[in-house]
Amino acid sequence: DTAVSQTPKYLVTQMGNDKSIKCEQNLGHDTMYWYKQDSKKFLKIMFSYNNKELIINETVPNRFSPKSPDKAHLNLHINSLELGDSAVYFCASDEKTRGTETQYFGPGTRLLVL
Amino acid sequence: SQKIEQNSEALNIQEGKTATLTCNYTNYSPAYLQWYRQDPGRGPVFLLLIRENEKEKRKERLKVTFDTTLKQSLFHITASQPADSATYLCALSTGNNRKLIWGLGTSLAVNP
C-alpha cells in the first residue's frame, strides 16, 4: 500500500565508495524527484524526471547520476562518496499532466559517509 | 536575491490555542504556495495549497492566507493539539517546470 517507497532506509558507507538508492511509486504519477535534506533541514531539489525524461537538473556534482527505467521508478547512483554527501535523500512524485501540484514523499534514505 | 523565510525559532504554544506560522518570500512571483508537515524521521506530507488569486483556504482546523502584496503566507492551526507538534514547511512554485522552492520550516510544539 506504500505510495512512494525508497530503499535502503539507512546507508552507512566509507568515503570513496559507490552506492545506489532506489525509489518506486505506485500512484501512477508521471513525475518523480530527488531531494537532499541536510543537517540544517533545508530541502533542496536535485533532479526531476517526467515520463523518464530529465526535466530538472540542479547544480549537483556529476558524481550523482539519476536513472529512470520507467515512470514508476527513479534511482540515484552516487560515485566516489564524500563526507559532505551525508544527508537524508527523499524521493517524491506528482502528476504533471493532470495539473495536481501536490508532491508525495517517500520515507527518506539516511546516508552517512564515514 | 530570491529568498523564502519562515519563523526561524521554534514555536511553543499551549494546547487549545491557535498556532500561527509565517512564510515570507522576496523576489518571487509564485503561482501557488503549499504547506507541508514533516515529522521526525519522515518525509513531508502535503497539507494545503493556495493559488496566487486566492486569499484564504481552509481545511478542518487549518487555515492558510496568501497576501501577494505583502509577499506573505500565514498558516493557522486552531484548537491546537499535542499531535500537531511537528515541523511545518512552506514551498512555492513559480513556473511550469513544477520546481518547488522550500523554506527551512518552523518547528511547532504544542504543550498539553
Side-chain angles (χ1 to χ4, degrees), chain A residues 35-76:
Chain A
Y35 285 94
K36 178 180 180 181
Q37 189 170 46
D38 60 25
S39 55
K40 292 180 180 168
K41 305 299 182 187
F42 180 58
L43 199 58
K44 186 179 189 312
I45 183 141
M46 301 172 70
F47 304 101
S48 177
Y49 272 75
N50 172 255
N51 280 321
K52 302 193 296 175
E53 182 187 343
L54 183 66
I55 58 170
I56 295 174
N57 186 358
E58 293 295 285
T59 309
V60 175
N62 58 13
R63 297 182 295 104
F64 290 79
S65 50
K67 278 192 174 51
S68 183
D70 56 61
K71 72 175 192 176
H73 296 85
L74 180 61
N75 303 325
L76 183 65

Side-chain angles (χ1 to χ4, degrees), chain B residues 24-100:
Chain B
N24 294 303
Y25 58 93
T26 54
N27 297 325
Y28 284 112
S29 295
Y32 57 83
L33 192 145
Q34 303 186 38
W35 285 88
Y36 286 74
R37 168 183 174 144
Q38 187 173 21
D39 290 282
R42 293 179 176 253
V45 174
F46 172 76
L47 296 173
L48 280 169
L49 179 151
I50 188 162
R51 298 183 191 281
E52 59 179 332
N53 59 352
E54 297 174 319
K55 295 285 186 199
E56 183 179 298
K57 212 61 162 312
R58 288 176 188 259
K59 180 182 170 183
E60 296 171 355
R61 295 183 297 109
L62 309 181
K63 184 177 89 169
V64 171
T65 63
F66 196 8
D67 189 326
T68 53
T69 303
L70 288 179
K71 295 187 183 294
Q72 181 182 78
S73 175
L74 297 178
F75 177 79
H76 306 272
I77 307 175
T78 57
S80 60
Q81 304 165 1
D84 296 326
S85 300
T87 295
Y88 291 86
L89 300 159
C90 74
L92 58 83
S93 175
T94 58
N96 291 332
N97 70 1
R98 309 288 294 283
K99 185 169 89 170
L100 285 179

